[in-house]
Amino acid sequence: MSDTEQIKPTAHELMKMHVEAMFTHDRNMRIRTINEPWPGEPLAPRFFLGRTIEGSALCRFRNDVPETLARQLEELCTDEPVVRDFQTKPKHFEVYMNLLQSERFTMGPCYLIPDTTVPTMDVISVTRENMTDLLRGGFEWLISEIDYAQPCIAFVHEGRAVSICRSVRIASRAHEAGLETLEEFRGKGYAASVVAGWAMAVRSMECIPLYSTLCDNLSSQNVARKSGLSFYGVNFTIA
């Protein structure tokens, strides 16, 4: 048994892995950019809050948020209660929005993919060597990213990939899943199998496979539910 399989991180540790995978940080642990593995450096949100099922909260601020404002936000974060419903906004939602003078936010559930999760259908790894045939007919846009978004696992139907899960955020301890299924092939269980296959590939690299989505992404939440993923918290960001 590998060290990764033996470790059972707490919800707070998982949330820390999540934010480290999602954003680049400076030496003061201020967030800088969205941690996309392919070229480009889009700005991170100004504020990140991760609430957990244990009652702990983790916050990060972009490196251009004034220190005084960051301290105000941080104090409010310590007062956030246990999260039980991922549709529930933070306790101090209105204050956060007012302090940052913003109307734009994102929120969604965060999951750990358990090490018992295995594919129920045959899936394969997509690499530069086999991508030309597999990505035709719907996933051609992925060709330019294939070297960066690894592992990349696909369910293949009639010689082409119709559902893909790949690493879209990569850190030293964890990877975040990116899931895409062609519209005409949704609802057939393919997504759950590629997520499971991807998680196995990530664990083979001695990393933790994480899955997160948005509150309004019902199809992604359905995959998490059907796959038996382990809910550990809710992320919340303000642009």
Side-chain angles (χ1 to χ4, degrees), residues 19-230:
V19 71
E20 288 172 355
M22 294 297 289
F23 309 112
T24 63
H25 291 65
D26 65 19
R27 61 184 180 182
N28 297 316
M29 296 308 292
R30 291 293 198 103
I31 56 177
R32 297 177 54 255
T33 62
I34 297 173
N35 187 33
E36 295 177 344
W38 44 83
E41 290 192 328
L43 274 180
R46 287 183 293 156
F47 176 55
F48 169 92
L49 169 65
R51 295 172 291 152
T52 75
I53 58 172
E54 297 167 348
S56 63
L58 183 152
C59 55
R60 292 282 190 274
F61 315 99
R62 200 168 66 198
N63 56 2
D64 59 354
V65 173
E67 187 67 24
T68 303
L69 176 55
R71 296 290 74 79
Q72 286 180 276
L73 293 165
E74 189 171 36
E75 186 172 346
L76 291 167
C77 292
T78 62
D79 188 43
E80 289 290 340
V82 172
V83 63
R84 294 185 175 89
D85 175 5
F86 63 75
Q87 297 286 358
T88 301
K89 291 177 181 176
K91 176 180 178 180
H92 300 292
F93 171 78
E94 296 291 348
V95 184
Y96 297 141
M97 299 298 285
N98 288 336
L99 284 172
L100 287 161
Q101 299 181 333
S102 179
E103 297 179 353
R104 293 183 297 149
F105 72 95
T106 68
M107 188 173 77
C110 301
Y111 304 92
L112 168 69
I113 304 176
D115 55 15
T116 54
T117 306
V118 296
T120 58
M121 305 176 191
D122 289 337
V123 294
I124 67 169
S125 177
V126 183
T127 64
R128 176 166 290 279
E129 286 67 38
N130 62 6
M131 68 178 183
T132 303
D133 289 335
L134 292 177
L135 300 182
R136 62 183 171 81
F139 282 110
E140 291 88 351
W141 57 269
L142 185 53
I143 289 174
S144 64
E145 300 176 2
I146 198 67
D147 290 337
Y148 304 101
Q150 290 291 336
C152 179
I153 304 297
F155 177 82
V156 176
H157 176 75
E158 295 182 350
R160 66 180 178 127
V162 297
S163 184
I164 283 178
C165 186
R166 62 202 176 107
S167 294
V168 294
R169 306 286 184 269
I170 301 172
S172 60
R173 297 191 295 167
H175 289 215
E176 282 279 343
L179 177 64
E180 303 275 353
T181 301
L182 299 182
E183 188 170 358
E184 62 268 35
F185 293 96
R186 293 175 185 170
K188 301 178 184 297
Y190 302 155
S193 281
V194 295
V195 167
W198 172 82
M200 290 179 66
V202 170
R203 287 190 183 277
S204 74
M205 301 166 64
E206 301 295 323
C207 290
I208 301 293
L210 302 176
Y211 182 101
S212 58
T213 185
L214 295 174
C215 283
D216 59 358
N217 192 334
L218 300 182
S219 60
S220 185
Q221 292 165 29
N222 285 337
V223 172
R225 185 178 65 254
K226 292 176 182 177
S227 300
L229 305 191
S230 179

